[in-house]
Amino acid sequence: MTDITLLPQVTAFLGREHGHYISGRLLAGAGTEKFAVVNPATGQAIAQVVEGGQEEVDAAMQAAFAAFHGAWARVSPMERGNCLMRLADLLQAHREELAQLESLCSGKTIQLARGLEIDMAAQFLRYFAGWSSKISGETLNVSLPSFRGEQYTAFTRREPLGVVVGIIPWNFSIMIAIWKLAAALTCGCTVVLKPSEYTPLTMLRVAELAQEAGIPDGTLNVVNGSGARLGPALIAHPHCAKVSFTGSVPTGIAVGKAAMEQGIVRTTLELGGKNGAAFLADVSVDKMVDGIIEAGYLNQGQICAAAERFYLPDSHIDAVLEKLTQRLGAMKVGSSLDETTEVGPLANEAHYRKVLGLFDKARAEGSQIVCGGHALAGPGFFVAPTAIRATGPDDLLMREETFGPVGTFLAYDDEEQMIAMMNDSPYGLAASLWTNDLSKAMRMIPRIEAGTVWINMHTFLDPALPFGGMKSSGIGREFGSAFIEHYTELKSVMVRY
Ligand code: TXE
């Protein structure tokens, strides 16, 4: 098969001058430096973006602050939801254009870009839209007795926080940005998004669609450039009421510290991890292999909830690794724009080099590379789907996140020992348990230290279910109704009469 043909509007968009989206306008800004957007499937630059600075930070934060107290504050809760619904319709109407852009910038296969990135982003938008008219406080009974016969009544109000800074990683440049902007907007907040410098383009196009959807100017802004410079500047801005971050653990810690130092700015941190998947001995070898591929290798493993540590019964591990080697070896690696490709490139060169470096360290440590463990012929940042057999629970690749198409496997012969190994990690974003014994699974669920536990499935995010990490994998929850707590302030009101 060959690559699909790029839509003329995609080619035209790439040829534009790119910068930022502030106050309802695309603009290059005051910067003189530019950075390149590289297609990871070819290693070639496809666009240039003008680097943002303090001037764009100030302008975007000011625009968002003005909209928070002005244009967006005047939009009724129901109409806020309608705006998000219209944006969802526009994402679907521009599905192919956005999917092609996403695939070109991130190396995501075009099928995944269409189905997972765009379609799912639209579904999440619709879910959040439904909440806009349902966010409310409650009426409460005052508990203490009155002294002189006076009466009391009390109620709580859910008030939007203000300007939310959304800091976005490169692995889902549209969907993760949508999670943050939809949560903020449905609660009545306004947003300034800072996309990853590797994937700065898609949100510029989505912001234009947001304007078409009727979202007032200033409500949604996008500032592009270096995270190390713009991130701290956005958080330090006096109008920043909250920062919602998805990305690596070290950057998340820096963001959290900066937010606390800026007067306890509210934070939601959704960080990485080293998610575990455990298979019990009652599962067949074929089902184990299917489960491992689902849990660990989608989008080249570049999903924060993907599994990287796999625990297999001693009785099964040899057969599973043999079959997995065949399956991984048969996967079609290729251009992200080829509809038959199953494995695309890693999303950027820095990440590619990091993953290759981890292979070297694993070899030096004595871990057995069962398959893969090397780069594939370029151009582009391709890595062979990899399976590694660990020598023990303390091997580097049982502890450090690769964020690549890499599973590390360890045998166990005792289920108690397996649970202890699963929990022996500083992280706790997600985990999965695979068994036909549902009663056993139900008993194990409370003992697994992870924000999400899947049974006989993995990497399935539903907007109705809260998502977030335990331990060093983060603070706060996205989705469900849990997000409301993180995008509103709870005000108590007491009245004497
Ligand atoms: O992530 P960062 P990077 C992992 C993955 C990858 C590694 C590094 O293993 O190899 O992290 O990737 C912005 N203040 N994940 O460097 O630094 C940055 O511009 C505020 C896992 O891309 O976490 C980008 O917009 N913001 C992860 C965002 O933070 C700062 C997804 C994320 O960048 C900043 C991505 C600062 N000081 C990578 N420095 C997941 N768990 O989903 C940078 N940024």
Side-chain angles (χ1 to χ4, degrees), residues 167-170 194 196-197 227 231 245 247-248 251 272 304 351 354 403:
I167 301 181
I168 317 298
W170 41 256
K194 211 302 284 167
S196 165
E197 42 276 61
F245 171 87
S248 64
T251 306
C304 49
H351 182 50
K354 183 189 108 172
F403 214 61

Side-chain angles (χ1 to χ4, degrees), residues 128-152:
F128 279 109
W131 272 112
S132 71
S133 51
K134 299 167 193 71
I135 296 169
S136 58
E138 53 185 342
T139 307
L140 300 151
N141 292 326
V142 172
S143 62
L144 295 176
S146 67
F147 296 107
R148 288 180 294 274
E150 70 274 31
Q151 302 238 339
Y152 298 93

Side-chain angles (χ1 to χ4, degrees), residues 309-331:
R309 296 182 284 147
F310 291 92
Y311 299 93
L312 301 178
D314 206 19
S315 51
H316 289 57
I317 190 164
D318 291 332
V320 170
L321 288 178
E322 194 183 324
K323 197 144 215 166
L324 182 66
T325 300
Q326 289 163 12
R327 289 276 299 276
L328 294 180
M331 284 176 104

